[in-house]
Amino acid sequence: MDLRIFGDPVLFDMGPVPVTETMVTSTAVTVALTGMAAFLGHTVRSRPQHWLSVVAYLVVESFDNLVEEIVGRRHTIVATLAGSLFLFIAGCNIAGQLPGVHPATGSLATTSALAVVVFLRVPIAGIRTNGVWGYVKHYFRPNPLLMPLHVLSELSRTLALAVRLFGNIMSGHLIVALLVALAGFLVPTPIMALDLLIGFLQAYIFAILSTVYIGAAISAGEE
Amino acid sequence: MTDQTIIAIVAMAGAALTMALGAMGAAIGESRIGAAAMDALARQPDEASSITRTLFVSLAMVESTAIFCLVIALILLFANPFTGTPGG
């Protein structure tokens, strides 16, 4: 029975760096997504009328609209980040459905790294829009006494972002492993379909929440 | 009864209690969200896409408390720092 919750087996060593299974899986997803993006970009440039180009337009347009609804105006950089997060997380979750592959997002290291990216992106976006003072000022609103609570909420929502994704994907994979061990074939199929839905939903929620956090930092100075 | 046995019993009981209480709170909260979303959908069917998006986001945020409980229960069971078997 393949019950893996917190561990991450080391496959081989590359010099002083141990290469774990999660690193291999996430690198494979990254390479696949980059290749797909390069191919679609080439198709859009060479054959704009082709149906693949239309699919690419639709995907980019939907991310742009999502960011516009949340931030309040079109913002290409935030849309790029949200789209990359969504596609990477969804790609990792789908890759976890392949037999023998553990989803890279089912490891706390991957999800913490993604959450730290969002955590660092929030002040960068706020400072680029409002200036250093304009951004720092919102920590002291409505009262300077609340500054520790602002900082605490930024830290705790980063932790929540990481643990939510990790817990959902890891528990889905664990339930499928338990069902395979208990009941065998065909019984876990509906749960695996649910896992696929949850994978997309969690990727969507991660992208939405990071956009909401960055959008709040962008509009921090407009009060 | 050795110390290790007592720790194992307490960890299992703690994991079961964590999961039960955590799932209960999340279930109550999610049912309230679902009821409120259906009410809003019945009143304003035109806003269906916006309501559905907010519904999914809030469901996932409420669900995450139950997921935190699950992670803590699994830590108690498989990666308990006091049982001397780290890593699960």
Side-chain angles (χ1 to χ4, degrees), chain A residues 109-134:
Chain A
T110 318
T111 58
S112 314
L114 294 172
V116 166
V117 167
V118 175
F119 174 72
L120 294 178
R121 194 65 186 78
V122 167
I124 292 175
I127 287 172
R128 276 181 72 158
T129 319
N130 304 312
V132 175
W133 178 237

PDB file of all heavy atoms in Angstrom, chain A residues 109-134:
ATOM      1  N   ALA A 109       6.332  21.150   0.405  1.00  0.00           N
ATOM      2  CA  ALA A 109       7.402  22.021  -0.083  1.00  0.00           C
ATOM      3  C   ALA A 109       6.943  22.811  -1.307  1.00  0.00           C
ATOM      4  O   ALA A 109       7.152  24.024  -1.393  1.00  0.00           O
ATOM      5  CB  ALA A 109       8.625  21.174  -0.419  1.00  0.00           C
ATOM      6  N   THR A 110       6.286  22.130  -2.267  1.00  0.00           N
ATOM      7  CA  THR A 110       5.836  22.811  -3.483  1.00  0.00           C
ATOM      8  C   THR A 110       4.824  23.901  -3.162  1.00  0.00           C
ATOM      9  O   THR A 110       4.941  25.038  -3.626  1.00  0.00           O
ATOM     10  CB  THR A 110       5.201  21.796  -4.436  1.00  0.00           C
ATOM     11  OG1 THR A 110       5.974  20.632  -4.445  1.00  0.00           O
ATOM     12  CG2 THR A 110       5.079  22.361  -5.817  1.00  0.00           C
ATOM     13  N   THR A 111       3.815  23.548  -2.340  1.00  0.00           N
ATOM     14  CA  THR A 111       2.765  24.523  -2.074  1.00  0.00           C
ATOM     15  C   THR A 111       3.310  25.694  -1.259  1.00  0.00           C
ATOM     16  O   THR A 111       2.897  26.832  -1.475  1.00  0.00           O
ATOM     17  CB  THR A 111       1.611  23.859  -1.325  1.00  0.00           C
ATOM     18  OG1 THR A 111       2.116  23.293  -0.122  1.00  0.00           O
ATOM     19  CG2 THR A 111       0.987  22.781  -2.142  1.00  0.00           C
ATOM     20  N   SER A 112       4.282  25.422  -0.349  1.00  0.00           N
ATOM     21  CA  SER A 112       4.867  26.535   0.406  1.00  0.00           C
ATOM     22  C   SER A 112       5.621  27.467  -0.534  1.00  0.00           C
ATOM     23  O   SER A 112       5.549  28.688  -0.386  1.00  0.00           O
ATOM     24  CB  SER A 112       5.821  26.024   1.473  1.00  0.00           C
ATOM     25  OG  SER A 112       5.268  24.973   2.163  1.00  0.00           O
ATOM     26  N   ALA A 113       6.335  26.885  -1.514  1.00  0.00           N
ATOM     27  CA  ALA A 113       7.060  27.728  -2.461  1.00  0.00           C
ATOM     28  C   ALA A 113       6.100  28.616  -3.235  1.00  0.00           C
ATOM     29  O   ALA A 113       6.333  29.829  -3.391  1.00  0.00           O
ATOM     30  CB  ALA A 113       7.861  26.844  -3.412  1.00  0.00           C
ATOM     31  N   LEU A 114       4.961  28.050  -3.682  1.00  0.00           N
ATOM     32  CA  LEU A 114       3.981  28.853  -4.422  1.00  0.00           C
ATOM     33  C   LEU A 114       3.404  29.946  -3.530  1.00  0.00           C
ATOM     34  O   LEU A 114       3.232  31.098  -3.955  1.00  0.00           O
ATOM     35  CB  LEU A 114       2.867  27.953  -4.947  1.00  0.00           C
ATOM     36  CG  LEU A 114       3.278  26.939  -6.007  1.00  0.00           C
ATOM     37  CD1 LEU A 114       2.128  25.997  -6.298  1.00  0.00           C
ATOM     38  CD2 LEU A 114       3.691  27.639  -7.273  1.00  0.00           C
ATOM     39  N   ALA A 115       3.120  29.603  -2.264  1.00  0.00           N
ATOM     40  CA  ALA A 115       2.559  30.602  -1.352  1.00  0.00           C
ATOM     41  C   ALA A 115       3.564  31.710  -1.069  1.00  0.00           C
ATOM     42  O   ALA A 115       3.189  32.877  -0.949  1.00  0.00           O
ATOM     43  CB  ALA A 115       2.116  29.935  -0.055  1.00  0.00           C
ATOM     44  N   VAL A 116       4.865  31.348  -0.970  1.00  0.00           N
ATOM     45  CA  VAL A 116       5.883  32.372  -0.721  1.00  0.00           C
ATOM     46  C   VAL A 116       5.992  33.305  -1.925  1.00  0.00           C
ATOM     47  O   VAL A 116       6.192  34.519  -1.757  1.00  0.00           O
ATOM     48  CB  VAL A 116       7.234  31.696  -0.386  1.00  0.00           C
ATOM     49  CG1 VAL A 116       8.369  32.687  -0.463  1.00  0.00           C
ATOM     50  CG2 VAL A 116       7.180  31.109   0.998  1.00  0.00           C
ATOM     51  N   VAL A 117       5.823  32.767  -3.145  1.00  0.00           N
ATOM     52  CA  VAL A 117       5.826  33.631  -4.333  1.00  0.00           C
ATOM     53  C   VAL A 117       4.726  34.681  -4.211  1.00  0.00           C
ATOM     54  O   VAL A 117       4.947  35.882  -4.426  1.00  0.00           O
ATOM     55  CB  VAL A 117       5.652  32.789  -5.611  1.00  0.00           C
ATOM     56  CG1 VAL A 117       5.347  33.675  -6.793  1.00  0.00           C
ATOM     57  CG2 VAL A 117       6.888  31.973  -5.876  1.00  0.00           C
ATOM     58  N   VAL A 118       3.515  34.235  -3.816  1.00  0.00           N
ATOM     59  CA  VAL A 118       2.406  35.185  -3.663  1.00  0.00           C
ATOM     60  C   VAL A 118       2.697  36.175  -2.543  1.00  0.00           C
ATOM     61  O   VAL A 118       2.448  37.377  -2.672  1.00  0.00           O
ATOM     62  CB  VAL A 118       1.090  34.420  -3.411  1.00  0.00           C
ATOM     63  CG1 VAL A 118      -0.042  35.380  -3.137  1.00  0.00           C
ATOM     64  CG2 VAL A 118       0.774  33.552  -4.585  1.00  0.00           C
ATOM     65  N   PHE A 119       3.253  35.667  -1.423  1.00  0.00           N
ATOM     66  CA  PHE A 119       3.562  36.515  -0.271  1.00  0.00           C
ATOM     67  C   PHE A 119       4.534  37.626  -0.656  1.00  0.00           C
ATOM     68  O   PHE A 119       4.378  38.777  -0.236  1.00  0.00           O
ATOM     69  CB  PHE A 119       4.157  35.636   0.831  1.00  0.00           C
ATOM     70  CG  PHE A 119       4.662  36.393   2.030  1.00  0.00           C
ATOM     71  CD1 PHE A 119       3.775  36.966   2.909  1.00  0.00           C
ATOM     72  CD2 PHE A 119       6.014  36.503   2.263  1.00  0.00           C
ATOM     73  CE1 PHE A 119       4.229  37.655   4.005  1.00  0.00           C
ATOM     74  CE2 PHE A 119       6.474  37.190   3.366  1.00  0.00           C
ATOM     75  CZ  PHE A 119       5.578  37.770   4.240  1.00  0.00           C
ATOM     76  N   LEU A 120       5.554  37.307  -1.494  1.00  0.00           N
ATOM     77  CA  LEU A 120       6.520  38.325  -1.901  1.00  0.00           C
ATOM     78  C   LEU A 120       5.950  39.242  -2.972  1.00  0.00           C
ATOM     79  O   LEU A 120       6.331  40.406  -3.074  1.00  0.00           O
ATOM     80  CB  LEU A 120       7.799  37.653  -2.426  1.00  0.00           C
ATOM     81  CG  LEU A 120       8.598  36.870  -1.394  1.00  0.00           C
ATOM     82  CD1 LEU A 120       9.794  36.221  -2.047  1.00  0.00           C
ATOM     83  CD2 LEU A 120       9.045  37.778  -0.277  1.00  0.00           C
ATOM     84  N   ARG A 121       5.018  38.716  -3.776  1.00  0.00           N
ATOM     85  CA  ARG A 121       4.479  39.504  -4.888  1.00  0.00           C
ATOM     86  C   ARG A 121       3.561  40.610  -4.390  1.00  0.00           C
ATOM     87  O   ARG A 121       3.438  41.643  -5.055  1.00  0.00           O
ATOM     88  CB  ARG A 121       3.720  38.569  -5.837  1.00  0.00           C
ATOM     89  CG  ARG A 121       3.393  39.152  -7.177  1.00  0.00           C
ATOM     90  CD  ARG A 121       4.655  39.422  -7.949  1.00  0.00           C
ATOM     91  NE  ARG A 121       4.356  40.107  -9.194  1.00  0.00           N
ATOM     92  CZ  ARG A 121       4.080  41.395  -9.284  1.00  0.00           C
ATOM     93  NH1 ARG A 121       4.029  42.133  -8.192  1.00  0.00           N
ATOM     94  NH2 ARG A 121       3.829  41.956 -10.451  1.00  0.00           N
ATOM     95  N   VAL A 122       2.923  40.406  -3.222  1.00  0.00           N
ATOM     96  CA  VAL A 122       1.947  41.385  -2.725  1.00  0.00           C
ATOM     97  C   VAL A 122       2.597  42.740  -2.435  1.00  0.00           C
ATOM     98  O   VAL A 122       2.166  43.757  -2.989  1.00  0.00           O
ATOM     99  CB  VAL A 122       1.211  40.818  -1.490  1.00  0.00           C
ATOM    100  CG1 VAL A 122       0.441  41.891  -0.777  1.00  0.00           C
ATOM    101  CG2 VAL A 122       0.286  39.707  -1.904  1.00  0.00           C
ATOM    102  N   PRO A 123       3.668  42.819  -1.596  1.00  0.00           N
ATOM    103  CA  PRO A 123       4.274  44.147  -1.381  1.00  0.00           C
ATOM    104  C   PRO A 123       4.909  44.720  -2.637  1.00  0.00           C
ATOM    105  O   PRO A 123       4.898  45.951  -2.808  1.00  0.00           O
ATOM    106  CB  PRO A 123       5.322  43.892  -0.286  1.00  0.00           C
ATOM    107  CG  PRO A 123       5.512  42.456  -0.238  1.00  0.00           C
ATOM    108  CD  PRO A 123       4.268  41.816  -0.699  1.00  0.00           C
ATOM    109  N   ILE A 124       5.440  43.859  -3.528  1.00  0.00           N
ATOM    110  CA  ILE A 124       6.035  44.390  -4.763  1.00  0.00           C
ATOM    111  C   ILE A 124       4.972  45.108  -5.581  1.00  0.00           C
ATOM    112  O   ILE A 124       5.170  46.243  -6.046  1.00  0.00           O
ATOM    113  CB  ILE A 124       6.693  43.250  -5.564  1.00  0.00           C
ATOM    114  CG1 ILE A 124       7.908  42.718  -4.812  1.00  0.00           C
ATOM    115  CG2 ILE A 124       7.110  43.731  -6.942  1.00  0.00           C
ATOM    116  CD1 ILE A 124       8.539  41.516  -5.459  1.00  0.00           C
ATOM    117  N   ALA A 125       3.793  44.470  -5.727  1.00  0.00           N
ATOM    118  CA  ALA A 125       2.721  45.099  -6.504  1.00  0.00           C
ATOM    119  C   ALA A 125       2.251  46.385  -5.831  1.00  0.00           C
ATOM    120  O   ALA A 125       2.023  47.405  -6.495  1.00  0.00           O
ATOM    121  CB  ALA A 125       1.558  44.122  -6.658  1.00  0.00           C
ATOM    122  N   GLY A 126       2.136  46.340  -4.475  1.00  0.00           N
ATOM    123  CA  GLY A 126       1.664  47.529  -3.764  1.00  0.00           C
ATOM    124  C   GLY A 126       2.631  48.684  -3.903  1.00  0.00           C
ATOM    125  O   GLY A 126       2.232  49.830  -4.121  1.00  0.00           O
ATOM    126  N   ILE A 127       3.954  48.398  -3.792  1.00  0.00           N
ATOM    127  CA  ILE A 127       4.944  49.473  -3.851  1.00  0.00           C
ATOM    128  C   ILE A 127       5.050  50.013  -5.268  1.00  0.00           C
ATOM    129  O   ILE A 127       5.174  51.230  -5.478  1.00  0.00           O
ATOM    130  CB  ILE A 127       6.294  48.935  -3.326  1.00  0.00           C
ATOM    131  CG1 ILE A 127       6.227  48.772  -1.813  1.00  0.00           C
ATOM    132  CG2 ILE A 127       7.425  49.888  -3.678  1.00  0.00           C
ATOM    133  CD1 ILE A 127       7.409  48.078  -1.224  1.00  0.00           C
ATOM    134  N   ARG A 128       4.943  49.143  -6.266  1.00  0.00           N
ATOM    135  CA  ARG A 128       5.026  49.628  -7.653  1.00  0.00           C
ATOM    136  C   ARG A 128       3.856  50.531  -8.009  1.00  0.00           C
ATOM    137  O   ARG A 128       3.986  51.436  -8.831  1.00  0.00           O
ATOM    138  CB  ARG A 128       5.074  48.448  -8.618  1.00  0.00           C
ATOM    139  CG  ARG A 128       6.458  47.906  -8.774  1.00  0.00           C
ATOM    140  CD  ARG A 128       6.480  46.791  -9.729  1.00  0.00           C
ATOM    141  NE  ARG A 128       6.285  47.231 -11.103  1.00  0.00           N
ATOM    142  CZ  ARG A 128       6.675  46.527 -12.142  1.00  0.00           C
ATOM    143  NH1 ARG A 128       7.272  45.376 -11.963  1.00  0.00           N
ATOM    144  NH2 ARG A 128       6.480  46.968 -13.348  1.00  0.00           N
ATOM    145  N   THR A 129       2.691  50.284  -7.396  1.00  0.00           N
ATOM    146  CA  THR A 129       1.527  51.103  -7.727  1.00  0.00           C
ATOM    147  C   THR A 129       1.456  52.364  -6.895  1.00  0.00           C
ATOM    148  O   THR A 129       1.157  53.442  -7.410  1.00  0.00           O
ATOM    149  CB  THR A 129       0.235  50.286  -7.527  1.00  0.00           C
ATOM    150  OG1 THR A 129       0.454  48.978  -8.003  1.00  0.00           O
ATOM    151  CG2 THR A 129      -0.918  50.923  -8.249  1.00  0.00           C
ATOM    152  N   ASN A 130       1.710  52.230  -5.580  1.00  0.00           N
ATOM    153  CA  ASN A 130       1.447  53.347  -4.667  1.00  0.00           C
ATOM    154  C   ASN A 130       2.705  54.020  -4.137  1.00  0.00           C
ATOM    155  O   ASN A 130       2.588  54.963  -3.375  1.00  0.00           O
ATOM    156  CB  ASN A 130       0.631  52.844  -3.467  1.00  0.00           C
ATOM    157  CG  ASN A 130      -0.651  52.170  -3.897  1.00  0.00           C
ATOM    158  OD1 ASN A 130      -1.378  52.714  -4.712  1.00  0.00           O
ATOM    159  ND2 ASN A 130      -0.900  50.998  -3.388  1.00  0.00           N
ATOM    160  N   GLY A 131       3.892  53.516  -4.487  1.00  0.00           N
ATOM    161  CA  GLY A 131       5.102  54.028  -3.875  1.00  0.00           C
ATOM    162  C   GLY A 131       5.299  53.394  -2.509  1.00  0.00           C
ATOM    163  O   GLY A 131       4.369  52.818  -1.942  1.00  0.00           O
ATOM    164  N   VAL A 132       6.535  53.518  -1.975  1.00  0.00           N
ATOM    165  CA  VAL A 132       6.850  52.835  -0.718  1.00  0.00           C
ATOM    166  C   VAL A 132       5.973  53.370   0.405  1.00  0.00           C
ATOM    167  O   VAL A 132       5.316  52.630   1.135  1.00  0.00           O
ATOM    168  CB  VAL A 132       8.344  53.027  -0.367  1.00  0.00           C
ATOM    169  CG1 VAL A 132       8.640  52.413   0.995  1.00  0.00           C
ATOM    170  CG2 VAL A 132       9.219  52.376  -1.420  1.00  0.00           C
ATOM    171  N   TRP A 133       5.906  54.700   0.528  1.00  0.00           N
ATOM    172  CA  TRP A 133       5.164  55.290   1.639  1.00  0.00           C
ATOM    173  C   TRP A 133       3.668  55.022   1.497  1.00  0.00           C
ATOM    174  O   TRP A 133       2.983  54.685   2.474  1.00  0.00           O
ATOM    175  CB  TRP A 133       5.466  56.783   1.726  1.00  0.00           C
ATOM    176  CG  TRP A 133       4.691  57.459   2.820  1.00  0.00           C
ATOM    177  CD1 TRP A 133       3.856  58.509   2.680  1.00  0.00           C
ATOM    178  CD2 TRP A 133       4.677  57.102   4.210  1.00  0.00           C
ATOM    179  NE1 TRP A 133       3.318  58.833   3.902  1.00  0.00           N
ATOM    180  CE2 TRP A 133       3.806  57.980   4.860  1.00  0.00           C
ATOM    181  CE3 TRP A 133       5.315  56.117   4.958  1.00  0.00           C
ATOM    182  CZ2 TRP A 133       3.557  57.919   6.212  1.00  0.00           C
ATOM    183  CZ3 TRP A 133       5.053  56.039   6.308  1.00  0.00           C
ATOM    184  CH2 TRP A 133       4.189  56.936   6.923  1.00  0.00           C
ATOM    185  N   GLY A 134       3.160  55.138   0.274  1.00  0.00           N
ATOM    186  CA  GLY A 134       1.731  54.899   0.055  1.00  0.00           C
ATOM    187  C   GLY A 134       1.329  53.491   0.418  1.00  0.00           C
ATOM    188  O   GLY A 134       0.218  53.252   0.906  1.00  0.00           O
TER     189      GLY A 134
END
